[in-house]
């Protein structure tokens, strides 16, 4: 059934720079000197290590246990010795360090015993989810949402359409494009498995119209029940809400999930890794990464997770140059990296070496509305900026600041060069911090009440038995009388004893 | 741990547009109008433009020094130049030099820098200055040249220069021999004072004349004032160019002109003798200038798409009301200022429906 | 801009303005009618027209007090909202202004009711405009000496300059 | 003469209209209750550090002082700019900037006991308003990091002065983006 496509509001026509790397075959990146695996490479609770420093691990062996429902296990990318479990810099805007497992490869790259499941169709969906979860598969599109959670949502409510998202709208990035061209069978098989897991009525694979080879590769293998669609190339067509609007015309409810309108979306790379997990039992230990921009030999690499970024860059001929900056991800949503020692994680899809953006002076906002025209979520960026700038966080929430997907279109077109996305990130993190502070305050008040109550209780207990002494404020005179009286009483008692035996001396 | 301040946030590319390039393109769009003005009313307009731009830059520099902002960035953003140009186009080419000084100062100081400079002012500085001057010196503001061509003796350089710099208030009613090199004497009452077609139309209507008779007067061209219609047409071209260059959104000019056109058409059907034809309203006075350049000033106009439509209608309607029943001939300047004061209210209630909002 | 003096005090937050407008909508028409009746059927027959002003002020505050008493009994929720603004409305020149205007143009009982309603709505609109303008000015980068009310007064000045454009439209006989 | 009678009548009516107000004796209680509600709502906005940096013994007394009107809304350094704005919104007042002398500590701190110096004198335990210090006589004391609000009340009673304030180590979840240093302020 040919679905006619819809348009989404705003968006940008960017020149894609994809031709640099989209026709070069992806090569396998050799073993790096050290593998650094952060325990938290997904949205959710970090996993817990189950091995100790000094253990010898095999390739694919589970080295960290999932900790809670929204969490996934971690697997060793190669065989080697665990040399450290400690704090190392991880991909984060401020390069904070987080606990990581560091493995020193021994070069044998020996697989541990893996247990493939046979005919996936006969296996009931619930068991399929456990397999996917145990192989540590998250969304590889860039968000890093644990795949089994989405599948589980799929089982609980009726899934109308499963969309496999091969739309790479960010410039420079071609890792999904190469993956489809080289491993189209993995993708199609993986799609059928996910479809079986969520029992979706329709199934769609979406590709951008400037990826013709990928389209042909899929068209050959696609059976009749999977719909293959070419989506017009327009940034940010690849984002979940926009792609759903383009394909189905439905809008994901504001602040809600796609599942609420019966749609589940997975990335092409996730589908491929699901295929490998189910049929061959291989956990997610490597992925395609595009190395592009100002390097001699830009191309796609199949990289083991945990390889330091500098390693991949050196493989493509990169020499450090201070007016170049390294960006993890695309130019529109990527993260600036100053310390290239950080490892490649499950959500890294591209390493871009770009000329540093010249320092542009931020002018005041002239409310020209250019950002309103390009915002794909139909927000009002200039009002959000106005409230974020003046710390008016309730107003910012009233203008739906949490719906912003930080795609960067507004900052791209702003004539005053305002870093709008940074203002929105500031506002969002400030609101989250405010909520944490408030919870902390309530917690502190509760403890303070308990403290006061216990304090009063102690006082009450003290003052019951020694009314005067316990009461610190009673005036000194009352205390003196009490003491004199006590002394008199003791003297009398002593006096009585003395008068009995030596009555005479008592006079 | 990277120092917090020098973390560069995510969009690492920019399409290269800057505020000064936007303002420059607005000035370019104004040029055809100014050329027409020059052609019909002599070089008076050019002198006025020079004057007001000069004053505007001086005041802008002074205010920036006072607010100890760096001059280099803010003086080049061109917003002062645009304000000055618009102001010069609204006042009469014959108005003395101190008119543009007071107008530009009031506009820039009170309507812009007091609120914090570019981007914070709710009122358009050019219009505020113009209205301040209009209210303070009404006589001088009704002192327009005649569309008799560039080289006609009453519009040539020496005459206008001495009028701007040396003349006290010229008494329009007397017929005074002004020809320095004793060419023909001008004695027609209107030739000196020269009312704009709008003012002339309004005064005649109030004295119960029929429109058909008024139109016979020499100053009326085919659908607007003789010179005025072409100037308005030039501004229309400039405006369409700006929309094409995506500097302004089409919503405000279309709604302003549309609502003005509709109301005047309705009243025209009702009684053609009292109410002028829609074309006359569109192509006379400052309508085109205001609709394309002043109402669409992004800082003071409404920003939400729906808000802009309401904003435009308010301007169109109020302009018509003031023109026909009010005391001021060209009410569009007042209409823009009134609409500016309603903008915060409009913006509050025309919030865009977010994607997926019920 | 008659009687907008409470706007400066109240119009910090938009909820406060809504409450004041609701109260105004309730109070103004009722007081207009009562003062109109009072004038034509009590003052004139007893030719006490000179007592017009003092009696108006007294009756208006009396009616408002009684209405407040009713509202507290009938709809406590509504009363909770408008409780704060009753002193403002009692001494407000708009209410007395409407009453005097009605008398001057003696437009009949229904006319005075409508004029009361109309000016209440007008009052509400002006208040809304001022409040939203004020919320925009608070975040503007205003130099220190002009912070707060000074800036609001300058803006009101500019606004009234804009509304001067309407001179000559309403010709008062 | 009639005029005099008339004004008398109106005056009586006026006084009568005040009658419903006086009859409800519960007015004072209602005022008390409303004041109490106001104190609660202000108190809910304060950071509850009970640190006393606002020259009041704790957060609730400071909230009461604001409610009664004899304290300004900008005397709470731990609360910072956001608390001022929140209270200003609640009371419908204009936000007041911080006085120059009160240092706004943007970084949040927690206390840390230098274990080599602590002699186990149990003097700091009652001083901590939120019981964040564990320890007993002649035993080592330590501070529970999550519960400590950084109010610095435990520093003063410690005889050997072994308590110091250390910045809170931000985990990636709690990291806050900074507002871009805009050029306007230069």
């Amino acid at each position: 059934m040919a679905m006619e496509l819809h348009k989404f509001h705003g968006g940008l026509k960017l020149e894609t720079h994809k031709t640099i790397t989209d026709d070069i075959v992806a090569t396998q990146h050799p073993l790096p000197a050290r593998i650094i695996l952060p325990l938290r490479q997904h949205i959710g609770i970090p996993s817990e290590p189950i091995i100790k420093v000094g253990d010898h691990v095999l390739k694919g062996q589970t080295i960290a246990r999932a900790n809670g429902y929204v969490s996934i296990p971690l697997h060793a990318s190669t065989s080697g010795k665990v040399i450290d479990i400690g704090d190392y810099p991880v991909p984060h805007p401020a390069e904070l360090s987080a606990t990581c497992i560091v493995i020193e490869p021994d070069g044998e790259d020996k697989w541990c015993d893996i247990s493939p499941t046979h005919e996936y169709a006969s296996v009931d969906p619930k068991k399929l989810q456990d397999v996917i979860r145990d192989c540590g598969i998250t969304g590889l599109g860039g968000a890093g949402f644990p795949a089994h959670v989405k599948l589980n949502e799929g089982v609980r409510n009726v899934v109308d359409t499963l969309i496999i998202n091969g739309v790479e709208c960010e410039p420079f990035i071609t890792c999904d494009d190469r993956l489809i061209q080289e491993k189209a069978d993995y993708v199609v098989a993986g799609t059928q498995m996910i479809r079986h897991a969520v029992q979706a009525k329709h199934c769609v694979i979406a590709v951008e119209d400037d990826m013709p080879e990928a389209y042909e590769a899929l068209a050959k293998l696609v059976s009749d029940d999977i719909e293959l669609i070419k989506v017009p190339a327009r940034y940010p067509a690849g984002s979940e809400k926009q792609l759903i609007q383009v394909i189905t015309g439905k809008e994901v409810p504001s602040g809600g999930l796609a599942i609420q309108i019966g749609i589940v979306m997975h990335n092409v790379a996730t589908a491929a890794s699901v295929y490998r997990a189910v049929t061959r039992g291989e956990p997610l230990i490597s992925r395609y990464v595009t190395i592009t921009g100002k390097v001699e030999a830009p191309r796609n690499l199949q990289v083991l997770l945990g390889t330091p970024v500098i390693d991949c860059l050196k493989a493509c001929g990169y020499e450090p140059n201070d007016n170049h900056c390294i960006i993890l991800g695309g130019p529109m949503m990527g993260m600036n990296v100053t310390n290239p020692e950080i490892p490649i994680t499950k959500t890294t899809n591209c390493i871009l070496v770009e000329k540093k953006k010249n320092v542009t002076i931020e002018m005041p906002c002239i409310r020209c509305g250019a950002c309103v025209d390009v915002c794909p979520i139909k927000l009002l960026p200039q009002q959000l900026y106005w409230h974020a700038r003046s710390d008016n966080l309730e107003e910012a929430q009233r203008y739906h600041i949490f719906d912003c997907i930080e795609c960067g279109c507004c900052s791209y077109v702003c004539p005053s060069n305002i870093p709008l996305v940074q203002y929105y990130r500031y506002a969002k993190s400030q609101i989250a911090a405010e909520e944490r502070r408030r919870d902390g305050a309530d917690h502190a008040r509760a403890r303070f009440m308990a403290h006061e109550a216990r304090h009063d209780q102690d006082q009450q207990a003290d003052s019951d038995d020694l009314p005067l002494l316990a009461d610190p404020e009673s005036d000194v005179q009352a205390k003196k009388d009490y003491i004199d009286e006590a002394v008199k009483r003791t003297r009398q008692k002593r006096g009585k004893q003395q008068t009995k035996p030596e009555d005479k001396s008592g006079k | 741990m990277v120092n917090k301040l020098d973390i560069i946030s995510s969009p690492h590319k920019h399409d290269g547009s800057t505020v000064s390039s936007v303002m420059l393109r607005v000035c370019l769009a104004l040029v055809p109008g100014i050329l027409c003005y020059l052609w019909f009313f002599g070089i008076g307009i050019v002198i006025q433009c020079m004057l007001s731009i000069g004053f505007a830059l001086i005041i802008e520099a002074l205010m920036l020094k006072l607010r100890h902002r760096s001059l280099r960035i803010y003086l080049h953003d061109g917003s002062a130049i645009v304000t000055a140009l618009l102001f010069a186009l609204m006042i009469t080419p014959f108005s003395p030099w101190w008119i543009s000084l007071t107008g530009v100062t009031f506009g820039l100081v009170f309507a812009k820098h007091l609120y914090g400079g570019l981007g914070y002012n709710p009122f358009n500085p050019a219009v505020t200055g113009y209205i301040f001057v209009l209210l303070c010196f009404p006589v001088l503001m009704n002192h327009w040249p005649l569309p008799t061509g560039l080289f006609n003796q009453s519009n040539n350089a020496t005459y206008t220069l001495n009028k701007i710099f040396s003349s006290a208030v010229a008494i329009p009613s007397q017929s005074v021999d002004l020809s320095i090199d004793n060419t023909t004497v001008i004695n027609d009452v209107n030739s000196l004072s020269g009312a704009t077609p709008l003012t002339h139309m309004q005064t005649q209507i109030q004295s119960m004349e029929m429109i058909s008779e008024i139109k016979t007067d020499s100053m009326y061209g085919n659908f607007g004032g003789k010179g005025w219609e072409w100037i308005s047409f030039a501004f229309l071209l400039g405006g369409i160019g700006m929309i094409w260059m995506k500097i302004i959104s089409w919503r405000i000019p279309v709604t302003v002109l549309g609502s003005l056109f509709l109301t005047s058409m309705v009243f025209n059907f009702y009684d053609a003798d009292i109410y002028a034809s829609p074309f006359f309203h569109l192509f006379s006075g400052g309508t085109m200038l205001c609709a394309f350049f002043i109402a669409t000033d992004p800082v003071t106009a409404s920003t939400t798409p729906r808000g802009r439509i309401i904003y435009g209608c308010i301007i169109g309607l109020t302009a018509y009301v003031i023109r026909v029943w009010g005391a001021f001939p060209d009410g569009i300047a007042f209409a823009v200022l009134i609409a500016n004061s309603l903008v915060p209210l409009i913006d509050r209630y025309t919030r865009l429906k977010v994607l997926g909002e019920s | 801009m008659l009687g907008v003096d409470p706007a400066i005090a109240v119009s910090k937050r938009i909820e406060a303005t809504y409450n004041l407008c609701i109260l105004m909508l309730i109070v103004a028409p009722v007081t207009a009618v009562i003062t109109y009746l009072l004038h034509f059927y009590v003052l004139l027959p007893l030719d006490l027209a000179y007592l017009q002003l003092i009696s108006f002020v007294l009756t208006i505050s009396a009616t408002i007090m009684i209405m407040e008493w009713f509202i507290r009994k009938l709809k406590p929720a509504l009363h909770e909202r408008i409780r704060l603004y009753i002193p403002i409305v009692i001494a407000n020149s708009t209410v007395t202004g409407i009453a005097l205007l009605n008398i001057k143009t003696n437009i009949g009982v229904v006319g005075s009711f409508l004029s009361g309603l109309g000016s209440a709505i007008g009052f509400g609109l002006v208040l809304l405009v001022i409040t939203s303008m004020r919320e925009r000015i608070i975040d503007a980068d205003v130099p220190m000496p002009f912070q707060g009310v000074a800036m609001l007064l300058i803006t009101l000045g500019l606004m009234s300059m804009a509304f001067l454009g309407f001179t000559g439209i309403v010709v008062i006989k | 003469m009639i005029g005099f009678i008339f004004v008398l009548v109106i005056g009586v009516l006026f006084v009568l209209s005040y009658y419903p107000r006086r009859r409800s004796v519960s007015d004072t209680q209602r005022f008390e209750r409303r004041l109490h509600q106001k104190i609660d709502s202000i108190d809910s906005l304060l950071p509850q550090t009970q640190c006393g940096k606002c020259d009041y013994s704790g957060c609730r007394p400071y909230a009461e002082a604001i409610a009664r009107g004899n304290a300004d809304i900008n005397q709470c350094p731990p609360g910072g700019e956001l608390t001022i704005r929140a209270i200003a919104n609640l009371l419908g007042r204009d936000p007041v900037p911080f006085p120059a002398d009160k240092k706004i500590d943007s970084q949040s701190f927690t206390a840390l006991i230098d274990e080599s110096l602590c002699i186990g004198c149990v003097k700091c335990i009652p001083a901590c308003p939120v019981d964040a210090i564990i320890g007993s006589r002649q035993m080592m004391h330590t501070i529970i990091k999550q519960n400590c609000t950084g109010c610095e009340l435990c520093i003063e009673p410690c005889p050997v002065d072994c308590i110091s304030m250390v910045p809170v180590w931000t985990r990636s979840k709690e990291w806050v983006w900074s507002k871009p240093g805009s050029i306007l302020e230069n």
Side-chain angles (χ1 to χ4, degrees), chain A residues 307-328:
Chain A
T307 321
V309 164
I310 191 69
D311 236 53
C312 310
L313 285 172
K314 283 218 167 41
C316 303
Y318 156 81
E319 65 295 336
N321 167 341
D322 51 13
N323 60 22
H324 283 178
C325 63
I326 305 170
I327 297 170
L328 227 52

Side-chain angles (χ1 to χ4, degrees), chain A residues 99 112 115 184 232 306 366 390:
Chain A
T99 40
C112 64
S115 56
I366 57 170
S390 49

Side-chain angles (χ1 to χ4, degrees), chain B residues 4 7 68-69 73-74 120, chain D residues 175-178 183-184 186:
Chain B
K4 244 185 188 178
I7 298 170
H68 31 77
R69 293 277 171 71
I73 305 157
Y74 282 85
Y120 293 97
Chain D
W175 186 76
V176 177
W177 277 84
S178 66
I183 205 78
L184 299 179
N186 82 333

Side-chain angles (χ1 to χ4, degrees), chain B residues 126-183:
Chain B
V127 175
T128 343
Y130 169 66
I131 287 183
F132 177 72
V133 164
L134 190 66
L135 296 176
C136 300
F137 317 102
V139 171
L140 275 177
M141 294 310 282
N142 283 334
H143 191 60
W144 294 85
L146 277 165
T148 52
L150 181 63
F151 307 105
N152 170 288
Q153 165 273 347
S154 80
N155 290 345
N156 63 22
T158 49
Y159 174 73
T160 32
L161 269 176
N162 105 53
K163 194 155 234 352
I164 289 173
F165 288 102
S166 62
S167 71
V169 174
I171 303 103
S173 54
Q174 284 156 353
S175 67
V176 170
D177 174 1
L178 269 164
S179 56
I180 296 101
D181 46 20
N182 53 46
T183 49

Side-chain angles (χ1 to χ4, degrees), chain A residues 268-307:
Chain A
V268 221
T270 323
S273 49
V274 162
Y275 167 77
R276 273 214 297 280
V278 174
T279 49
R280 301 218 222 104
E282 280 172 19
L284 178 62
I285 49 165
S286 71
R287 67 160 294 157
Y288 274 68
V289 179
T290 319
I291 321 273
T292 177
K294 303 259 180 309
V295 280
E296 264 95 44
R299 63 179 184 284
N300 280 292
L301 289 176
Q302 186 157 15
V303 183
L304 288 175
L305 294 180
T307 321

